[in-house]
Amino acid sequence: MDMRLELVAVPVADVDRAKEFYVRAGFNADHDHTVSDTVRFVQLTPPGSACSIAIGLGLTGMEPGSLDNLQMVVADADAARADLVARGIDVSEVDDQPWGRFVFFSDPDGNRWALQQLPDWSAGAQTG
């Protein structure tokens, strides 16, 4: 049986501010629907990802900014960093580790993201 992670709720305090940030960071704004005064659902998808994030009102009981180390894989950490900097996103320098090259950034609420360029040795790894 397949199980695919398709949506992760990201807790934010100001939905419009967060939506603007993620769109500026290159995420696609897929959906923005206000159900009621207490429920708003905004879905955004990182470029090339099969998994989206959801921000909004009434979606989660988590405190804004409480997610730590949401991680996405990129082909080139230097290029990803340069793209985010060009978009006005405050990002770390590239952090080289034996298990990959990382770039870190946070959204306006403090939810922390990591972009990982996998190490060369992982290119031939198989799952199963």
Side-chain angles (χ1 to χ4, degrees):
M1 175 174 65
D2 289 345
M3 293 185 196
R4 294 182 302 268
L5 181 63
E6 294 190 7
L7 189 69
V8 175
V10 176
V12 300
D14 182 323
V15 179
D16 291 320
R17 176 183 70 177
K19 180 180 177 183
E20 183 278 327
F21 172 84
Y22 284 109
V23 168
R24 187 166 34 99
F27 287 47
N28 185 60
D30 303 318
H31 187 73
D32 186 341
H33 186 72
T34 300
V35 177
S36 68
D37 290 342
T38 58
V39 178
R40 178 179 173 193
F41 179 82
V42 179
Q43 181 174 321
L44 302 122
T45 305
S49 180
C51 184
S52 300
I53 63 169
I55 60 173
L57 298 174
L59 302 183
T60 180
M62 291 184 288
E63 290 296 317
S66 62
L67 288 183
D68 185 20
N69 202 27
L70 292 159
Q71 188 164 309
M72 297 183 284
V73 173
V74 296
D76 182 330
D78 296 299
R81 181 183 186 285
D83 180 63
L84 289 172
V85 168
R87 293 170 179 275
I89 305 298
D90 184 24
V91 298
S92 71
E93 296 295 327
V94 175
D95 180 15
D96 288 300
Q97 297 294 330
W99 54 90
R101 303 180 75 230
F102 295 85
V103 175
F104 302 97
F105 68 94
S106 296
D107 73 10
D109 288 290
N111 294 300
R112 293 178 26 179
W113 290 83
L115 304 180
Q116 179 187 21
Q117 175 184 337
L118 296 171
D120 292 337
W121 56 261
S122 70
Q126 296 183 13
T127 60

